[in-house]
Amino acid sequence: MKFISWNIDSINAALTGTSVRAGETREVLKKIAAESPDVIAIQETKLSKNGPTKKHLTVLQELFPDYEVAWRSSVEPARKGYAGTMYLYQNQYAPIVTYPQIGAPEPMDDEGRIITLEFPDFFVTEVYTPNSGNGLKRLDERQVWDDCYRKYLQELDQQKPVIASGDFNVAHEEIDLAHPANNHHSAGFTDEEREHFTKLLNAGFTDSFRHLHPDEKGAYSWWAQRVITSKQNNSGWRIDYWLVSDRLADKITSAGMIDSGERRDHTPIELEIDL
C-alpha cells in the first residue's frame, strides 16, 4: 500500500486561492493524485468548525475522484480556523473513522489534531503535534501532549499494528536539520521535545525514513516559508514522519519526500509498505 502525508498550511488557500503559492500548492496536489496513494493524510487544514465547503468538496472530487473524505476541525473553546486534519482514502476501503480525545491540556484536544482510520488488520492515524511556540511558551503543555499521544499510540498498538504520520513538530537528531548548533533552544529542537520523540520510538515504533536511510544527510520535509533562500540553500528540518509499529518495520519498501518544487514550508512525505 502507498500512503502520503502532508501539512498543507490551509486547504482553503490550496483549493480556492489565487496567489502564486496557492498555484504551487495545487501543483503538489496534482502530483499526489498522480501517485494514486491508498490514503492521503493532510494536516493544518485551517477549516472552520463546519469543515470543507461545497466548493472545497467539488475541487477535491475533481482532483481525487475515487476518494472519500474525513475531516476534523478546531472547535470552541479552541481558536477558530486553527490546526485541523483531513484524510482522503480510496473508496474501495471502508475504514472506521474515529476522532480521539487523548486527555491533552486544554484546548489541544479541541484543535482537531488527530484522526484515526481503523482497517481490518491495522490502524492508520495522523497527528498535527502542537508547536511549542515563540519563546517556548507552550513547551510545558507540549510535553504533556507528547506523553498523552504516546500512550494513545501504545493503546492502538496493543490491538493491531499502527501506521502513524503527520507533522510531529520535532527534528529528532542533529542529522534531521541543517543547523543543529544554532537551534538547541528553538521550538522543534529542544532537548525536551527530542527526548519525548525518543520515548515514542522506544515505545515500539519505527521511523520509516531513518529505517531505510540511517545516514542520509540533507533530507528535510520543511523549509521556512518566510526565508526566501531556505529551500534554495536546503536549510531545512525533517519534522514530518511516517512511523510504524516495530513489527511492521521489515515490510517497509520505500519512504521519502515528494518534491514540491519551489514551494517552501512542508513537503509531502511518502510511505510504501507491503501489508
Side-chain angles (χ1 to χ4, degrees):
M1 294 181 73
K2 180 183 292 187
F3 302 92
I4 292 175
S5 183
W6 188 24
N7 178 322
I8 200 169
D9 186 25
S10 178
I11 201 161
N12 176 61
L15 300 180
T16 66
T18 58
S19 68
V20 171
R21 186 168 186 270
E24 292 173 346
T25 303
R26 282 192 289 276
E27 289 303 310
V28 178
L29 284 171
K30 291 175 185 177
K31 184 177 287 190
I32 290 173
E35 295 271 339
S36 298
D38 295 271
V39 178
I40 304 162
I42 300 174
Q43 302 91 50
E44 202 170 1
T45 55
K46 295 183 177 178
L47 292 174
S48 77
K49 65 180 181 181
N50 297 319
T53 64
K54 288 183 179 179
K55 185 173 183 180
H56 294 149
L57 292 172
T58 297
V59 178
L60 285 172
Q61 182 66 21
E62 292 170 353
L63 284 166
F64 303 98
D66 300 317
Y67 290 75
E68 301 293 331
V69 180
W71 58 271
R72 186 179 190 183
S73 292
S74 180
V75 296
E76 295 180 351
R79 198 189 325 169
K80 296 179 181 179
Y82 180 63
T85 45
M86 177 181 284
Y87 268 120
L88 300 169
Y89 56 89
Q90 288 187 10
N91 57 20
Q92 63 175 300
Y93 303 114
I96 298 169
V97 185
T98 56
Y99 309 90
Q101 303 272 330
I102 62 172
E106 294 184 358
M108 290 176 174
D109 265 337
D110 295 311
E111 292 171 348
R113 293 184 175 277
I114 304 174
I115 306 178
T116 297
L117 306 180
E118 181 178 355
F119 290 83
D121 299 317
F122 55 90
F123 290 102
V124 177
T125 186
E126 69 172 305
V127 65
Y128 177 33
T129 302
N131 193 301
S132 294
N134 293 331
L136 304 177
K137 59 186 178 183
R138 219 178 183 187
L139 179 59
D140 289 344
E141 290 87 349
R142 160 66 184 269
Q143 292 181 77
V144 178
W145 166 279
D146 285 342
D147 287 335
C148 293
Y149 181 71
R150 182 176 67 254
K151 181 180 178 182
Y152 172 67
L153 282 197
Q154 287 179 291
E155 290 171 351
L156 292 183
D157 190 46
Q158 290 171 3
Q159 301 172 55
K160 59 183 78 172
V162 175
I163 300 170
S165 77
D167 174 0
F168 284 79
N169 261 316
V170 60
H172 185 212
E173 303 288 359
E174 291 193 351
I175 195 176
D176 295 314
L177 72 167
H179 302 291
N182 299 335
N183 284 289
H184 278 294
H185 300 290
S186 299
F189 197 60
T190 64
D191 291 343
E192 293 88 347
E193 291 162 316
R194 296 170 64 197
E195 287 169 4
H196 275 85
F197 197 78
T198 297
K199 288 180 181 179
L200 177 57
L201 297 181
N202 289 344
F205 301 96
T206 296
D207 174 352
S208 61
F209 180 81
R210 279 290 165 235
H211 178 70
L212 295 185
H213 310 279
D215 302 313
E216 184 172 337
K217 298 179 180 179
Y220 307 127
S221 67
W222 177 84
W223 300 262
Q225 183 183 337
R226 296 179 181 178
V227 181
I228 295 175
T229 59
S230 63
K231 202 163 191 181
Q232 297 171 6
N233 297 335
N234 199 25
S235 181
W237 298 48
R238 191 173 72 95
I239 58 177
D240 303 86
Y241 300 84
W242 278 106
L243 307 182
V244 304
S245 295
D246 285 346
R247 58 191 182 279
L248 293 181
D250 62 352
K251 299 181 182 296
I252 299 168
T253 57
S254 177
M257 293 67 171
I258 295 175
D259 184 7
S260 54
E262 295 182 3
R263 185 187 186 276
R264 298 186 298 279
D265 205 58
H266 295 264
T267 202
I269 59 170
E270 188 171 22
L271 170 72
E272 291 188 49
I273 187 167
D274 185 12
L275 293 171

